[in-house]
Amino acid sequence: TFYVAANGNDSNPGTQAAPFRTLDRGLTVAFAVGQPSRLLFRRGDAFPTLQAPGLNGQAPGLIGAYGTGAKPVLQFGNNQGGINLLSRRDLRIVDVDLVSTAAGMLSSARGVTLGNETTLLRCRID
């Protein structure tokens, strides 16, 4: 399990006591391990991204929230489509809001591109 909080630091190990700061770092580390993993974002925080990586692999994974308060907000701008899960299998996204802040629109849906065996629960995509 890896953790991300708005007051974290990307040089941290990604633990709950020393979380990562950015969405990009959390995604890159959590889903590069090649084994089942969880990436949890602190509730009440917002996480802008510059270049969210695509998530590949066959190992199960979960993107979710920890703590109390409002759902964490994952923000995508600069004409990005959001998180690309097209090549990822067996992934669950729970209790997060995916928001696009870009002025332009892509030809595909914004927020999340779903692959096989992807489940979204209690999420909002704006």
Side-chain angles (χ1 to χ4, degrees), residues 11-36:
S11 63
N12 286 344
T15 63
Q16 189 169 1
F20 296 130
R21 182 169 191 254
T22 65
L23 168 66
D24 299 351
R25 177 72 175 153
L27 289 172
T28 299
V29 172
F31 294 101
V33 296
Q35 60 187 5

Side-chain angles (χ1 to χ4, degrees), residues 12-114:
N12 286 344
T15 63
Q16 189 169 1
F20 296 130
R21 182 169 191 254
T22 65
L23 168 66
D24 299 351
R25 177 72 175 153
L27 289 172
T28 299
V29 172
F31 294 101
V33 296
Q35 60 187 5
S37 58
R38 290 183 292 191
L39 180 60
L40 303 179
F41 294 88
R42 188 169 62 191
R43 289 180 175 273
D45 288 349
F47 303 93
T49 184
L50 296 176
Q51 184 64 45
L55 303 179
N56 299 313
Q58 303 299 316
L62 178 126
I63 295 173
Y66 74 98
T68 59
K71 293 177 189 174
V73 178
L74 310 184
Q75 299 172 325
F76 304 95
N78 302 326
N79 294 324
Q80 295 175 3
I83 300 174
N84 182 352
L85 304 173
L86 199 55
S87 299
R88 182 74 190 194
R89 296 183 63 107
D90 199 8
L91 183 68
R92 288 137 185 94
I93 303 175
V94 182
D95 290 330
V96 299
D97 289 341
L98 301 162
V99 177
S100 172
T101 59
M105 294 298 288
L106 298 175
S107 59
S108 60
R110 296 184 114 351
V112 62
T113 303
L114 298 177

